[in-house]
């Protein structure tokens, strides 16, 4: 069926996987382990796995069933302190890490990538068990992307140049790009492995040391990766990985005086709290927060592609993407046709066991998230949007929500303003280019946006007008490691991936040496 | 000398399109082991029609729809890293082969191969980091640049670092997405041909890298004049470099980068630690049997420390172990060929004739092969042949100076400008002299340290363009400016 074919091409094309491993057809039949054993449940500090100092643990749930998978160590303020001490020690002047050849840092990242490739099937199964995303996504999208991100950053360490400056006077003056120091990185639950690698990459490439706090919902793959870090040969203390909650563990990492920089990915609400705390110590802060990204479909688009990509833009990863295309603006001329085709596509979306090969959508991450989504669906009905598909919880085990579609949504509806983070699509109608740009920009968010149109001029002009960090034209969710990703306005501060990400992990030092006579 | 280890020479044919070809004209040329003077192999000799075939293959591989052109940048990088991995896998064999053909001590060959693999890895990391720019223009325009591969690259490399020079050439060319025809020196084709097999094993599409062994006048010339070669890169003597530039221009080739000779000055200042400085000077000159374009071949010594320094240099030269390059203790193997051997002896004779003082050495060493004793001349004057011309052999020239302004002038009086060195503890003096020397690379309290990320190349007649670093990429991409007018 055409749209199924288009769908597969689009998943591969849209996420721009750069490893040959992504070509599933080239591989022997994969045996999927639906019950991957959990091997690491403790905090990873100084290349060792240690219990939390209080001995306490917390439960990790399988969102497809609601059952407890295992328990992992619950890091408290004391453990954060231990981890930061380890990172600080690894960063001291004269340490193995500080003295290492830049190219050798890169080789460690290549080694880590190779180990991840070796353990791809296991990591993908563990990610699916803990997060609920379909195995075919973990295996074909998440893990390969991690590998390509690490390999991308591996090439940077010996290429980050400063400048020699044409200053006035008898001076020799130059800049050095130095690592900012000990960094604290807090990652969310929607792409546990991917975000882990988006954080490890720049920290290692620039020569920083880090303490990474995994999200309390999804610590399992991060703790396994910790073992790979040790196996790859990173010196102790360079990457420390801990599991713990936000209010105690995360907060103490943010407040810790020996952490020089914070990188946080998560909700806008928590991002603001972190920004306020970090500002007290003038801590360098980068934030990747929420979004309510507008996807603009013009009448002169390729309709097949637009329908399929718009579906993907919203529903991918159970709708749990910061950059989900969660406001689909469709030009009046093709509105009815677009809505009709979207209804058909949404009805076809297969929800079920994430280990099942035909499943497109797994459970939401938690009961709490599921409740929030249902609540917003109710608000959509209340505000008068037209509920055309789904709208309820799916089944009574696990946290599944039916693929849901609203049409005739208005900009002031809650479902058009607030981040739902679930499989709920909003379709809105527009007439003119000027109007839709204004409506698209009418948000405190500004993470991403997209344009579907065949017209060269319109694509460029509209892209230029959208206040969003990533603008996709005739595609969606392209996450090439080479391209920067980050938000305008309250969607965040700073950029991840790409060369641009290196700046936030570096400090520029200017050295000026007096010489007896300078000549140009 | 111990009997030579049994080294199998596996590849002696022309490598085009991932296949091995016999020469069209049916001729081969002998390859000599400089440790013994004996022929070790006969290699197919590529001439014009073979070069034509290679260029055609490179052209096809460069077609806009080819696997190479449509490959993701990161996959290009993966192929390059695979090649580096294979170099490391076969390092022991390759080192033996390199030493058999070039004569450098085996531990130096091992070092060269490690460096070559690192160079390829370094450039593999660039593939997805070569960016164009968007440029602010008026509101009615969208303006940007693309950095596109320049095309088919003709690369001609010398015999002094056969594998390393291959890596320095392939690295940036492949990183930018070009295709290559590479001609190794006729003295030392063997390791390049083995690398060709590794390139095929790594999985490069056919035609991306082609290796054509042959001489300069027929084979090299065919590459230089070929209308479909887009860019030329040459490392070798200044004499040939000049000829290549002229010939290229006559055939409407303007993209030419040259790494030529040198007569680099090493300035030993009065406050230098003499033992350390003597070691630096020794390495600067004698490394690789002094067959380095950037060899520190004019050692300027401050009058205050001159006598003592000369004695130390002589002591080190006398201690230098010359002999069987397969012996772990050997520091210096033979010169690469009989021609070079005779040329160097000729310079030694000139030094004697012109009145320099021969402190030690001066003759051939060993009874077979092209070995020369580590030689030191003191009392050298700037106008002597040995102070002006590139010897490319183990002949140290020590010159006296007593004024810094003067020595800088003297250092700069050469028509070459490849490298220079300064040994001093004084910060201001180091930086001031550095600013005034006309040389592409300046080492302070060091010599012959290379980094893949540091550009290398010459001022003046030592060449044009830079290799290594991000600068090394510049010759391998073409800038395209795109301006879109918006309605």
């Amino acid at each position: 069926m055409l749209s199924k074919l288009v769908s597969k091409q689009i998943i591969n094309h849209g996420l721009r996987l750069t490893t040959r491993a992504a070509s599933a057809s080239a591989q022997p039949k994969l045996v999927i382990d639906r019950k991957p054993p959990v091997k690491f449940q403790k905090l990873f500090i100084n290349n060792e796995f240690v219990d939390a100092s209080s001995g306490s643990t917390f439960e990790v749930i399988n969102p497809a069933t609601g059952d407890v998978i295992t328990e992992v160590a619950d890091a408290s303020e004391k453990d954060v302190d231990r981890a930061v001490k380890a990172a600080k020690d690894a960063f001291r002047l004269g340490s193995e890490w500080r003295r290492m050849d830049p190219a050798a840092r890169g080789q460690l990242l290549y080694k880590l990538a190779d180990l991840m490739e070796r353990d791809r099937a296991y990591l993908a199964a563990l990610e699916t068990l803990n997060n609920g995303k379909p195995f075919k996504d973990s295996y074909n999208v998440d893990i390969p992307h991690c590998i390509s991100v690490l390999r991308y950053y591996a090439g940077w360490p010996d290429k980050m140049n400063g400048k020699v400056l044409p200053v006035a006077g008898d001076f020799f003056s130059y800049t050095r790009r130095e690592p900012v120091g000990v960094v604290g990185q807090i990652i969310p639950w929607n792409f546990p492995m991917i975000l882990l690698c988006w954080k490890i990459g720049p920290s290692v490439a620039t020569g920083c040391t880090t303490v990474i706090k995994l999200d309390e919902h999804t610590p399992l793959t991060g703790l396994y990766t910790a073992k790979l870090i040790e196996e790859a040969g990173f010196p102790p203390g360079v990457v420390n990985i801990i599991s713990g909650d936000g209010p105690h563990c995360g907060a103490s990492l943010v407040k810790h005086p020996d952490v020089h920089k914070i990188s946080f990915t998560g909700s806008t609400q928590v991002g603001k709290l972190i920004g306020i705390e970090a500002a007290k110590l003038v801590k360098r802060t980068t934030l990747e927060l929420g979004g309510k990204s507008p996807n603009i479909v013009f009448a002169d688009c390729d309709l097949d592609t637009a329908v399929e990509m718009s579906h993907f833009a919203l529903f991918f990863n159970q709708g749990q993407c910061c950059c989900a295309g969660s406001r689909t603006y469709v030009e009046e001329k093709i509105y009815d046709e677009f809505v009709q085709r979207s209804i058909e596509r949404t009805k076809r979306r297969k929800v079920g066991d994430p280990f099942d090969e035909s499943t497109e959508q797994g459970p939401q991450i938690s009961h709490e998230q599921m409740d929030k989504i249902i609540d917003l669906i109710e608000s959509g009905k209340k505000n008068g949007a037209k509920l055309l598909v789904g709208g309820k919880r799916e089944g009574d085990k696990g946290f599944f929500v039916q693929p849901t579609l609203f049409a005739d949504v208005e900009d002031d509806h809650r479902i058009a303003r607030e981040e739902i983070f679930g499989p709920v699509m909003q379709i809105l109608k527009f007439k003119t280019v000027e109007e839709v740009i204004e409506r698209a920009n009418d948000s405190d968010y500004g993470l991403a946006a997209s344009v579907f149109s065949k017209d060269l001029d319109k694509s460029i002009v509209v892209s230029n007008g959208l206040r969003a960090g990533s603008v996709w034209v005739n595609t969606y969710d392209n996450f090439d490691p080479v391209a920067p990703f980050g938000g305008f306005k309250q969607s965040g501060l700073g950029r991840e991936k790409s060369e641009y990400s290196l700046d936030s992990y570096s400090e520029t030092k200017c050295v000026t040496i007096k010489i007896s006579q300078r000549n140009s | 000398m111990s009997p030579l280890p049994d080294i199998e020479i596996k590849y002696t044919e022309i490598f085009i399109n991932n296949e091995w070809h016999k020469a069209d004209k049916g001729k081969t040329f002998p390859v000599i082991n400089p440790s013994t003077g004996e022929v070790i192999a006969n290699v197919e000799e590529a001439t014009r029609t073979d070069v034509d075939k290679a260029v055609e293959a490179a052209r096809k591989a460069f077609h806009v729809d080819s696997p190479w052109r449509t490959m993701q940048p990161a996959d290009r990088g993966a192929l390059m890293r695979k090649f580096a991995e294979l170099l490391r896998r076969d390092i022991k064999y390759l080192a033996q082969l390199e030493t058999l053909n070039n004569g450098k001590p085996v531990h130096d060959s091992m070092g060269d191969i490690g460096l070559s693999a690192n160079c390829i890895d370094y450039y593999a990391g660039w593939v997805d980091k070569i960016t164009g720019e968007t440029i602010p223009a008026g509101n009615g325009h969208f303006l940007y640049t693309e950095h596109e591969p320049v095309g088919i690259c003709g690369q001609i490399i010398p015999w002094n670092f056969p594998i390393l020079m291959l890596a320095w050439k392939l690295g940036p060319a492949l990183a930018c997405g070009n295709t290559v025809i590479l001609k190794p020196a006729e003295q030392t084709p063997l390791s390049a041909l083995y690398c060709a097999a590794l390139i095929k094993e790594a999985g490069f599409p056919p035609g991306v890298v082609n290796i054509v062994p042959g001489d300069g006048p027929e084979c090299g010339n065919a590459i230089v004049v070929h209308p479909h070669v887009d860019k030329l890169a040459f490392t070798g003597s200044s004499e040939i470099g000049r000829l290549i530039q002229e010939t290229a221009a006559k055939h409407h080739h303007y993209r030419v980068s040259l790494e030529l000779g040198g007569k680099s000055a090493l300035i030993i200042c009065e406050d230098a630690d003499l033992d350390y400085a003597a070691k630096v000077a020794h390495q600067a000159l004698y490394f690789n049997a002094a067959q380095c374009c950037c060899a520190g071949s004019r050692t300027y010594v401050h009058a205050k420390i001159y006598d003592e320094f000369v004695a130390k240099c002589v002591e080190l030269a006398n201690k230098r172990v010359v002999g069987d390059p397969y012996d772990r203790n050997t520091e210096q193997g033979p010169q690469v060929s009989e021609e070079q051997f005779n040329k160097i002896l000729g310079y030694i004779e000139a030094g004697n004739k012109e009145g320099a003082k021969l402190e030690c050495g001066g003759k051939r060493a060993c009874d077979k092969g092209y070995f020369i004793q580590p030689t030191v001349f003191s009392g050298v004057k700037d106008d002597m042949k040995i102070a002006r011309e590139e010897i490319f052999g183990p002949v140290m020239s020590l010159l006296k100076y007593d004024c810094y302004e003067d020595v800088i002038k003297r250092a700069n009086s050469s028509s070459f400008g490849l490298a220079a060195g300064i040994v001093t503890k004084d910060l201001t003096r180091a930086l001031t002299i550095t600013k005034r020397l006309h040389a592409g690379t300046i080492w302070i309290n060091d010599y012959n340290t290379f980094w893949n990320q540091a550009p290398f190349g010459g001022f003046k007649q030592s060449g044009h363009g830079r290799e290594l670093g991000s600068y090394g990429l510049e010759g391998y991409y073409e800038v395209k400016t795109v301006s879109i007018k918006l309605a």
Side-chain angles (χ1 to χ4, degrees), chain A residues 516-517 519, chain B residues 267 270 302 401-413 429 432-433 436-437:
Chain A
S516 60
Q517 191 187 115
N519 293 281
Chain B
I267 301 171
E270 68 205 275
H302 196 283
Y401 75 94
D402 55 20
C403 158
Y404 289 101
E405 261 192 54
D406 193 47
V407 78
I408 291 170
K409 277 207 194 84
R410 290 166 66 185
N412 287 340
S413 69
R429 179 182 298 143
T432 306
I433 298 179
R436 283 146 173 227
L437 286 174

Side-chain angles (χ1 to χ4, degrees), chain B residues 55-75:
Chain B
V55 174
E56 220 13 71
R59 244 185 133 201
K60 263 215 185 73
F62 191 71
H63 189 272
V64 77
D65 294 323
S66 72
W68 184 239
R69 293 295 298 281
T70 53
M71 195 180 285
Q72 312 291 3
D75 288 340

Side-chain angles (χ1 to χ4, degrees), chain A residues 145-174:
Chain A
H145 178 76
C146 290
I147 294 164
S148 65
V149 165
L150 293 177
R151 286 180 176 153
Y152 170 78
Y153 276 110
W156 270 119
D158 50 11
K159 300 174 180 66
M160 292 182 297
N161 299 347
K163 294 184 198 284
V164 172
L165 310 164
V167 294
D170 294 324
F171 300 98
F172 169 49
S173 187
Y174 63 92

